[in-house]
């Protein structure tokens, strides 16, 4: 694709993302997207066959950026610390700073929008959303497993359980954040979750110190 | 309203609820609702002025039922136990049984649907959703405060924090449940949360025993 073509595709995806996060997928028309992106109908259909095709490309584009961001946060934490617990804390606090960043407050989670509109989407789009949620979870699972292996928790808990819990807290926090118009709620859930981790692992960490 | 009129209104609301939980609000047309409820356009407009009016009445009707259910669970727990911690455990486990009931698995949370479609809804509907989430939270806050007052937690934690955490876990759990097609995920989050409560309060409870 030419550089200009690439930029026009990117503009459409950015405009579509913002509209879908505001109004949902069914509540967003191709005309709304053309207007917001400042592109012609011809340019749109040059890149996307239909609204359903856009739905599929949009979530793939978003997930690419999103998972890359999570992997970068994980890599940075691993570069800075050797101890998996320290890595985990940096990973979680960096995410908290990102999600509560007041310059660009989060409007919610695109996977949640797609999940709640799943009946109107193609099967392969729904499967892709579930796979992406699992890829995201896998980043946590790997780190929790390293922590559990190094510092036996005060009660039995699996890396998978902890991962499901933090992902639920983030998704649910984003709903409350949106309902109450308060950009701090999701970060707060991650902070509470770190309190829980401290209760689980402090004893082993103290013993190892 | 006549008994027949009341029944026809109820049928419309039940059909609308099911469709909105499947397709979102923008993805549900009045025609879809008429077809699912088996009522005429005349009957619909006898009860509702517009789709926007239905949106408002639907969430009020749902919230009435929903908050009543939570208050009933709380009252039953209080009737069975004197100790606020025992009441809390019964309240949470009864909710877990309800939400994972395989006969009528939850399709998600109506407040989440409304929250993600908030831009398309009237201001007073959005305000009502936020108020309802706060009413729901208040049921938890009252009980957590009683527990905290009776059993000082091993680390400082507020009733409001714990309430925000369980509500986030339930909302996020419902998203994962829907994305993965697994009806047990939300109940599992509440179980994990009870593990956290046990770590917070077990020491005080043992000391009091």
């Amino acid at each position: 694709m030419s550089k200009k073509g690439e930029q026009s595709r990117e503009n459409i995806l950015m405009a579509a993302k913002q509209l879908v996060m505001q109004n949902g997928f069914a509540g967003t028309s191709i005309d709304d997207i053309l207007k917001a992106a400042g592109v012609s109908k011809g340019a749109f259909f040059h890149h996307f066959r239909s609204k359903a095709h856009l739905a599929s490309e949009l979530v793939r584009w978003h997930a690419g950026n999103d998972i890359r961001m999570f992997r970068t946060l994980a890599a940075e934490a691993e570069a800075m610390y050797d101890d998996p617990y320290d890595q985990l804390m940096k990973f979680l606090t960096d995410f908290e700073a990102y999600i509560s960043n007041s310059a660009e407050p989060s409007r919610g989670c695109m996977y949640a929008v797609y999940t709640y509109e799943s009946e109107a989407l193609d099967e392969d789009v729904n499967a892709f959303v579930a796979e992406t949620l699992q890829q995201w979870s896998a980043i946590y699972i790997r780190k929790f497993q390293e922590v559990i292996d190094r510092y036996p928790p005060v009660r039995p808990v699996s890396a998978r359980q902890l991962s499901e819990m933090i992902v639920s807290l983030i998704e649910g926090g984003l709903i409350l954040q949106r309902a109450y118009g308060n950009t701090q709620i999701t970060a707060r859930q991650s902070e509470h979750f770190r309190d829980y981790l401290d209760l689980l692992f402090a004893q082993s960490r103290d013993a190892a110190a």
Side-chain angles (χ1 to χ4, degrees), chain A residues 1-199:
Chain A
M1 205 183 295
S2 71
K3 230 177 182 168
K4 211 176 139 195
E6 187 60 58
Q7 189 57 55
S8 133
R9 184 174 186 275
E10 190 87 1
N11 287 348
I12 294 168
L13 289 168
M14 281 195 291
K17 180 180 166 180
Q18 197 160 358
L19 287 166
V20 167
M21 293 309 298
Q22 270 171 25
N23 308 314
F25 215 84
T28 302
S29 70
I30 291 182
D31 279 344
D32 295 335
I33 297 168
L34 299 184
K35 211 174 145 187
V39 300
S40 68
K41 201 163 247 182
F44 181 93
F45 285 105
H46 173 70
H47 296 292
F48 308 103
R49 288 191 301 278
S50 60
K51 196 176 153 188
H53 185 220
L54 171 72
S56 171
E57 293 295 298
L58 176 61
V59 73
R60 284 166 209 275
W61 172 77
H62 171 74
N65 295 336
D66 193 49
I67 294 291
R68 200 174 307 124
M69 187 271 292
F70 274 103
R71 292 207 172 122
T72 302
L73 290 186
E76 284 173 359
E78 286 168 4
M80 184 169 288
Y81 295 106
D82 289 326
D83 185 303
Y85 193 85
D86 294 336
Q87 293 169 351
L88 178 61
M89 288 302 115
K90 177 167 166 58
F91 179 71
L92 292 173
T93 50
D94 283 356
F95 172 75
E96 289 159 26
Y98 162 80
I99 201 77
S100 59
N101 172 9
S102 59
E104 210 184 321
S106 177
R107 299 281 308 147
C109 172
M110 183 159 285
Y111 313 130
V113 173
Y114 274 67
T115 297
Y116 268 114
E117 297 197 64
S118 59
E119 306 267 338
L121 298 166
D122 292 342
E123 251 330 293
D124 70 317
V125 174
N126 293 329
F128 177 80
V129 170
E131 277 160 33
T132 304
L133 286 168
Q134 268 161 342
Q135 273 186 46
W136 178 26
S137 302
I139 298 172
Y140 290 108
I141 289 174
R142 186 170 61 85
K143 196 50 63 190
F144 287 132
Q145 193 58 57
E146 288 173 22
V147 171
I148 290 170
D149 289 346
R150 177 106 154 229
Y151 302 113
V154 288
R155 62 170 55 214
V157 67
S158 73
R160 189 168 291 278
Q161 283 177 317
L162 290 174
S163 165
E164 205 174 77
M165 192 170 186
I166 183 64
V167 171
S168 294
L169 281 170
I170 293 169
E171 290 295 339
L174 285 168
I175 290 175
L176 294 188
Q177 178 154 332
R178 190 164 162 133
Y180 295 148
N182 177 333
T183 59
Q184 306 304 307
I185 293 178
T186 308
R188 222 143 69 193
Q189 301 322 304
S190 176
E191 285 170 37
H192 296 172
F193 181 72
R194 288 193 285 114
D195 284 343
Y196 177 42
L197 294 179
D198 191 41
L199 286 174

